[in-house]
Amino acid sequence: MLLNEIYHALDPVAFSLGPISVRWYALAYLAGFVCAGVVMWRTQRRWGLGLTLDDLLSIVLGIVFGVIIGARLFYVVFYGAGYYLENPLEIFMLNHGGMSFHGGLVGAVVGGSLVCRRYGISIASVCDLGVIGAPIGLFFGRCANFVNGELWGKETDLPWGVMFETGGAVYRHPSQLYEAVLEGLVIFVVLYALSRRVPPRPQGTFMGAFLALYGVFRFLVEFVRVPDAQLGYLFGPITMGQLLSLPLVLLGIAILVGAHRLGRPQRGYLS
């Protein structure tokens, strides 16, 4: 199995500088933020929003802090299963793992919105810009999950199954790569293609499409992904990831309908 051989040839540590080890997971976050920022900059120029580079960098920085704080807090609250109540200092140990996409999304919106309000920039348009670039970060992040050998899937006899070190002596679905393709590449291609039209589609179009697509893809992949050990299945085959994704689908559809009805144009600075 070629994919299994590739996995076992990979090292979670990208490189070391003396006592400091830099992991691919950290580099994935960095690459994701940089690429998302580039996509936001190029897209707003194509749309003619007139944002300055300094203001966009400030927005991206706000998003970075929001993602990290939100992703960690959501994981602690929804996936911790009481562990962090007994070990509160572990909340700050980001190097031990434990980040939630849903929390990162909320944090990104809050962090970016605070900066937008400070500089008088349209929050709705920035949200649309942000979600066009966000799938690139999701792609890198899921690939890093694969390298780390975490968040693997159920047992499989398919030719691309992988025997993860922490998953026992069985071949499993590389569910991390399924998510990398669907949540990362597919959503990016769809949103980027939609963003090529000038004048751009109304405010909310891209945010709504992103939420709906991500929710559907995440819900489907969860059927072949093993849930977090401390939670297991909530009821029947339903996992916490699916429970948190359903509202995203409904919210995404609602935003798309509202965007179509209101037809508000994309804009940069508020007058």
Side-chain angles (χ1 to χ4, degrees):
M1 295 185 175
L2 178 60
L3 196 56
N4 182 64
E5 295 177 2
I6 293 175
Y7 164 72
H8 286 285
L10 297 172
D11 188 340
V13 176
F15 59 89
S16 297
L17 296 173
I20 301 176
S21 296
V22 179
R23 302 176 68 89
W24 286 110
Y25 193 73
L27 294 179
Y29 265 80
L30 177 61
F33 287 130
V34 170
C35 291
V38 171
V39 170
M40 292 175 68
W41 172 251
R42 292 176 64 89
T43 302
Q44 72 86 24
R45 288 186 63 184
R46 186 166 61 251
W47 290 357
L49 301 187
L51 298 178
T52 67
L53 182 58
D54 285 345
D55 286 350
L56 186 62
L57 288 175
S58 296
I59 293 171
V60 172
L61 188 60
I63 292 173
V64 169
F65 279 103
V67 166
I68 295 173
I69 295 172
R72 186 58 171 172
L73 287 181
F74 260 61
Y75 184 86
V76 169
V77 173
F78 291 102
Y79 293 91
Y83 171 78
Y84 294 98
L85 291 177
E86 300 176 0
N87 305 275
L89 293 180
E90 281 289 320
I91 295 176
F92 305 99
M93 303 299 180
L94 300 182
N95 58 315
H96 292 177
M99 304 288 272
S100 164
F101 163 80
H102 302 86
L105 175 63
V106 173
V109 172
V110 172
S113 296
L114 290 175
V115 178
C116 287
R117 292 191 62 180
R118 170 68 177 80
Y119 294 105
I121 300 171
S122 171
I123 294 174
S125 288
V126 167
C127 284
D128 277 346
L129 290 171
V131 296
I132 296 172
I136 302 176
L138 288 173
F139 172 78
F140 287 136
R142 293 310 183 190
C143 288
N145 289 146
F146 176 77
V147 175
N148 285 347
E150 59 192 4
L151 307 181
W152 26 258
K154 298 177 181 179
E155 295 183 31
T156 181
D157 56 1
L158 293 172
W160 55 80
V162 177
M163 187 179 294
F164 295 98
E165 294 178 357
T166 58
V170 295
Y171 288 97
R172 297 182 176 276
H173 284 284
S175 53
Q176 316 96 323
L177 299 185
Y178 299 167
E179 291 183 271
V181 172
L182 294 174
E183 300 168 6
L185 296 181
V186 173
I187 295 181
F188 174 72
V189 169
V190 170
L191 296 185
Y192 186 76
L194 291 175
S195 76
R196 298 292 297 175
R197 193 182 79 174
V198 178
R201 289 170 168 80
Q203 287 183 340
T205 300
F206 300 89
M207 187 66 170
F210 174 80
L211 293 176
L213 287 172
Y214 178 88
V216 169
F217 289 152
R218 177 66 182 271
F219 190 89
L220 294 176
V221 173
E222 286 283 325
F223 282 117
V224 297
R225 173 177 160 179
V226 175
D228 292 67
Q230 70 273 21
L231 292 180
Y233 293 98
L234 301 183
F235 46 90
I238 302 301
T239 67
M240 178 61 77
Q242 290 174 315
L243 189 63
L244 294 175
S245 294
L246 280 177
L248 296 186
V249 178
L250 299 177
L251 179 60
I253 293 174
I255 292 176
L256 278 172
V257 172
H260 176 72
R261 290 181 177 177
L262 295 175
R264 293 174 177 169
Q266 302 288 352
R267 57 192 305 192
Y269 296 98
L270 302 176
S271 56

